[in-house]
Structure formats: C-alpha cells, structure tokens
Amino acid sequence: MRQRCVAPLLGVSLALLFVFSIGCEPTPVRVRALPTPAAELPPANLPPSLHQRNWTGPKRQGSCVHASIVNHLRWLNQDVLARRWRATYSDGEWDSRLRGRLDAAGVDYSFTLKADPRFLDWASMTRRGAILWWKPSHCCTFMGWVERDGRQYAAILDNNYPGRFELTPRQQFIRLWAGYGGFALTVLHPPASSLTYRSYEPIL
C-alpha cells in the first residue's frame, strides 16, 4: 500500500511546485565594482607571527641558513617541510651542502652564484622570494623589491631581527650582495595566495 501512495503524492508535489513557480522572476541585484587594493609589499609578505628567529646549534654555531630556509618554506605553504627542516638541521651551512640536502629531500629549486639581479627580479615578480648571502657570514630571506618614492629597495627578513623587514636601495644591495658571494636560491613551489578582498558591493 505504501508503494502505491508514493506516485500520487509525488505528482501532487510537482504540480504544486509548478503552480507556485509560475510568474516568479528573480529580483535583479545591482552591484558596483570596488577598487582593487594595492599589491602586498613586500611581494613575499610573510606574517610576523611566522618569522623564524636564528638559533644556535649543537656546535654553538648560528643556523641562519636554515632559519632563512624555514622562513622561505613557510611563505611557500610548505609547513610540513619547514617543521622537518627546523627539527633536522642547524649550525653553519654552505651552498653546495644546502643544495645536496634539498636534493635529498626531493625539493625543486633554482639558484645563482653570480649575484645576477635578474634572478631576484624573477623571485620578486613570482612572489616566491629567495634566500641569499647577506651581511658578513650571514644568510637572510629576500622578500622582493619594494617601490618607495620612485626608488626600488630590497626587502630583507633578517632572522636575527624577526618581526620587521629591512630595506636597502637596489643598486647598493646588488653591489653588497656580490661582495658577500652572490649566492641566492629559490624553492620552486607556488607562493601563498594574495590577500582576499571584496570586489563589489550591492547598490541599494
């Protein structure tokens, strides 16, 4: 008996739905576009809460290269790898061994040994950033180029001073970077997405 009642009830429901839907037009909503906000500065805008401070390893050496890599990986949404790197490596590091360790971890990357500014232009344009030799016997994270008053500056996250970005004029930065060895490396993962924003609002 229950099976016989299903079809009539279904037919009544569909009929009522059809009756009530006749003449129901959706009310159009007028909207207007809102201005697009300015791009984030620096392009690799890692939040201060995620800045990794340099630490001393078992050999009583600073771990600036590894702290820079951790900052870089966090920006690239590689949180698991960043935690593993922080727990595994410490003390001093040099570029060839660092690349060997990245190879062993199956990490794709690109690098330069010649202080080529085009490499940093690409790292900034793609919003990936890079790690590089910066300051005597030190490694920092390059967060991209920043425009201020018609001049271009390198934004640097120094793991000895987390919580802020240091700005150095482009030409001065490139000259000093070459003097410190000219090494830079970028991991080839997509960067964090841009901040979301409201693109339109209803017109009442």
Side-chain angles (χ1 to χ4, degrees):
M1 294 295 291
R2 291 179 182 175
Q3 291 180 347
R4 292 195 191 102
C5 294
V6 170
L9 289 174
L10 181 60
V12 171
S13 299
L14 291 175
L16 289 173
L17 179 63
F18 178 75
V19 169
F20 284 115
S21 64
I22 293 176
C24 294
E25 296 276 339
T27 303
V29 178
R30 299 176 60 205
V31 299
R32 61 183 168 203
L34 296 175
T36 302
E40 287 183 80
L41 293 177
N45 191 20
L46 183 69
S49 61
L50 297 180
H51 291 187
Q52 176 61 56
R53 180 180 290 277
N54 196 0
W55 69 91
T56 302
K59 298 180 181 179
R60 309 306 299 168
Q61 299 173 359
S63 306
C64 60
V65 176
H66 304 300
S68 297
I69 278 285
V70 168
N71 283 322
H72 186 46
L73 291 173
R74 286 174 179 170
W75 173 249
L76 299 177
N77 294 313
Q78 298 300 305
D79 294 332
V80 173
L81 180 57
R83 289 196 298 271
R84 179 156 55 90
W85 204 276
R86 172 67 178 85
T88 304
Y89 299 115
S90 59
D91 290 311
E93 189 61 276
W94 54 92
D95 63 273
S96 59
R97 189 171 72 171
L98 172 66
R99 286 184 278 123
R101 287 173 166 174
L102 289 169
D103 290 338
V107 177
D108 292 329
Y109 59 87
S110 183
F111 70 99
T112 180
L113 300 173
K114 300 179 179 179
D116 188 344
R118 295 173 298 178
F119 184 88
L120 297 187
D121 291 343
W122 165 79
S124 181
M125 179 184 64
T126 60
R127 298 179 58 249
R128 287 186 173 95
I131 72 161
L132 42 64
W133 299 158
W134 181 243
K135 302 179 181 179
S137 302
H138 195 39
C139 182
C140 293
T141 312
F142 172 74
M143 313 306 284
W145 300 114
V146 173
E147 299 284 343
R148 292 280 177 86
D149 302 321
R151 300 181 67 189
Q152 197 172 54
Y153 296 82
I156 291 293
L157 171 55
D158 187 333
N159 45 78
N160 284 333
Y161 307 100
R164 61 189 177 92
F165 300 121
E166 300 175 355
L167 301 182
T168 303
R170 179 186 174 101
Q171 293 307 317
Q172 178 186 1
F173 181 85
I174 294 172
R175 175 176 54 81
L176 292 173
W177 174 40
Y180 296 135
F183 169 73
L185 180 145
T186 295
V187 172
L188 298 178
H189 282 290
S193 60
S194 300
L195 293 173
T196 58
Y197 65 92
R198 190 176 183 184
S199 61
Y200 66 91
E201 66 180 2
I203 301 175
L204 302 178

